Amino acid sequence: MSSEPDGEDAPSPSAAPVPSSLLGPGSLAAALEGGLEDDADMSRLQSMLEARGFPPHLAGVLGPRMHHLIVNRNMAPSAMTKAHQLLTGLQATGDESRQLQAVIEISQLLVMGNEDTLAGFPIRQVVPALIVLLKMEHNFDLMNNSCRALTYMMEALPRSSAVIVEAIPTFLEKLQVIQCMDVAEQSLTALEMLSKKHHKSILHAKGVPACLMYLDFFSMSAQVKALTVTANSCQGLQAEEFVLVQEAIPIISSRLKSDDKKSVDLACQALSRLADSYKLDKERLAEIGKPEVLENLQELLQKPTVSPNTFTTCLHILVILTSNTPTTSLRLLKQDMG
């Protein structure tokens, strides 16, 4: 798990104090807070800047930036006050209407924010509260909005993924017992984001078979997300991790026949990463290169619409499989691929 600090500990440029020379009556701050509405205002600002040693031509550049800094210097504290108020709402056990309203407002805060404006956001307190709400099977609105809030948090505060990784088992549960398709697909969105840095955590939670279990029931965009999680989870595998992906190989192989180009590319990428992980392990390569996998790879190579990158990846898989497993080479010869 990442050791990066979460948003509540990290300092932010937006929280830096405004120099005292810019504050007080008749100061730059006073001029800027009033706005630069006409030529007289800009002239006054230019005079102030020149008095402090700035070249005249810098007034037009510095004015708007200084205005933004001074006017918004209290934005982060107010946002944090709001976040802590909403946290209380999230934790209002027994009052699901209040909890739902708090989740919706947290989502709005995160959508409109970023690492600067949300510096000090209580990630370590909000995430567990959202996970609790994500588990409330009887309330689809709470589950769906909690899931959305967690994905918005990862977008606004990328460091939060180190805490949200704790939600992986809950996200995977939503894929294995589908009660609400919206919640399941939103969980896939969160898992796709987490798989960029935390694919090992997904792998060890048996995430690959879970993501592929009901693949055909998802929308095409959700299928692509599931395959992205799978491809990311198949990289750099150790010998003992093969059992965590073994049962998924036939499903991955079947996507090589898909009409969706992105799905084919991701399936090919997943098989390529598996082959690379076990290129010196004859036993596991033989498991990867089963007859149906070889047949699907062969058909893919013969498609006139296959992209150059996918064609090259497909050949790469076959080279690894045939270089270390003689039985695979014989199978390919029998299929007229010699």
Side-chain angles (χ1 to χ4, degrees):
M1 185 179 296
S2 170
S3 61
E4 293 180 272
D6 62 28
E8 59 183 313
D9 299 321
S12 167
S14 65
V18 177
S20 59
S21 62
L22 300 181
L23 303 173
S27 66
L28 284 173
L32 290 168
E33 287 184 335
L36 303 175
E37 298 179 353
D38 53 31
D39 292 341
D41 287 332
M42 182 57 71
S43 178
R44 188 156 59 98
L45 172 61
Q46 182 171 331
S47 298
M48 289 181 178
L49 288 172
E50 289 177 1
R52 287 163 175 77
F54 289 93
H57 68 275
L58 289 180
V61 176
L62 293 178
R65 294 186 180 183
M66 294 174 69
H67 180 264
H68 175 79
L69 170 66
I70 293 171
V71 172
N72 293 290
R73 64 183 182 270
N74 291 321
M75 183 183 297
S78 64
M80 292 315 97
T81 300
K82 180 68 171 177
H84 282 283
Q85 291 173 347
L86 293 175
L87 174 60
T88 302
L90 294 178
Q91 296 171 333
T93 304
D95 190 346
E96 294 184 6
S97 295
R98 183 183 175 191
Q99 288 177 313
L100 178 59
Q101 185 60 36
V103 173
I104 292 172
E105 291 188 35
I106 280 277
S107 294
Q108 293 171 345
L109 188 66
L110 291 167
V111 166
M112 299 299 293
N114 55 47
E115 287 186 300
D116 291 334
T117 62
L118 296 173
F121 187 90
I123 296 172
R124 293 191 181 279
Q125 290 75 42
V126 171
V127 170
L130 290 174
I131 293 175
V132 169
L133 300 182
L134 184 58
K135 294 178 179 179
M136 299 181 72
E137 303 289 343
H138 64 281
N139 193 321
F140 292 153
D141 286 335
L142 265 180
M143 287 193 296
N144 198 32
N145 282 284
S146 297
C147 200
R148 287 183 183 278
L150 290 168
T151 59
Y152 295 154
M153 192 183 300
M154 284 189 280
E155 291 173 351
L157 302 167
R159 295 188 304 274
S160 66
S161 66
V163 182
I164 296 175
V165 71
E166 300 295 336
I168 286 176
T170 307
F171 289 139
L172 294 175
E173 286 175 9
K174 305 306 175 187
L175 304 180
Q176 293 170 294
V177 182
I178 299 179
Q179 294 183 321
C180 177
M181 187 58 72
D182 288 343
V183 175
E185 294 198 353
Q186 191 63 42
S187 294
L188 275 175
T189 299
L191 288 166
E192 180 191 28
M193 297 173 72
L194 285 166
S195 71
K196 296 173 184 177
K197 289 186 177 180
H198 303 284
H199 52 86
K200 285 292 186 181
S201 296
I202 295 174
L203 176 73
H204 292 156
K206 299 182 179 179
V208 171
C211 285
L212 300 179
M213 182 178 292
Y214 296 113
L215 189 61
D216 290 329
F217 292 92
F218 293 126
S219 65
M220 187 53 66
S221 62
Q223 289 183 36
V224 167
K225 291 173 183 176
L227 289 168
T228 300
V229 175
T230 299
N232 288 340
S233 300
C234 286
Q235 56 188 319
L237 299 183
Q238 303 299 316
E240 64 275 11
E241 293 173 329
F242 185 71
V243 294
L244 299 173
V245 297
Q246 186 174 9
E247 67 180 90
I249 293 175
I251 301 175
I252 298 171
S253 171
S254 71
R255 307 322 286 184
L256 296 174
K257 304 173 75 172
S258 172
D259 293 328
D260 180 67
K261 179 181 176 298
K262 187 63 176 177
S263 296
V264 173
D265 291 346
L266 288 167
C268 218
Q269 185 181 67
L271 290 173
S272 177
R273 288 174 171 176
L274 284 175
D276 283 331
S277 295
Y278 300 109
K279 59 186 176 183
L280 300 178
D281 188 327
K282 293 182 179 180
E283 181 180 344
R284 289 179 174 82
L285 282 180
E287 287 291 324
I288 297 169
K290 290 288 183 66
E292 60 271 20
V293 176
L294 298 177
E295 182 178 339
N296 289 339
L297 287 169
Q298 178 184 9
E299 290 181 9
L300 181 59
L301 286 173
Q302 295 171 343
K303 280 186 177 180
T305 57
V306 65
S307 69
N309 285 341
T310 300
F311 187 89
T312 302
T313 303
C314 191
L315 286 178
H316 175 72
I317 298 168
L318 291 171
V319 167
I320 293 177
L321 293 178
T322 55
S323 296
N324 295 286
T325 50
T327 54
T328 300
S329 301
L330 289 174
R331 285 174 186 157
L332 290 176
L333 287 171
K334 291 179 180 178
Q335 292 173 204
D336 297 326
M337 283 197 65

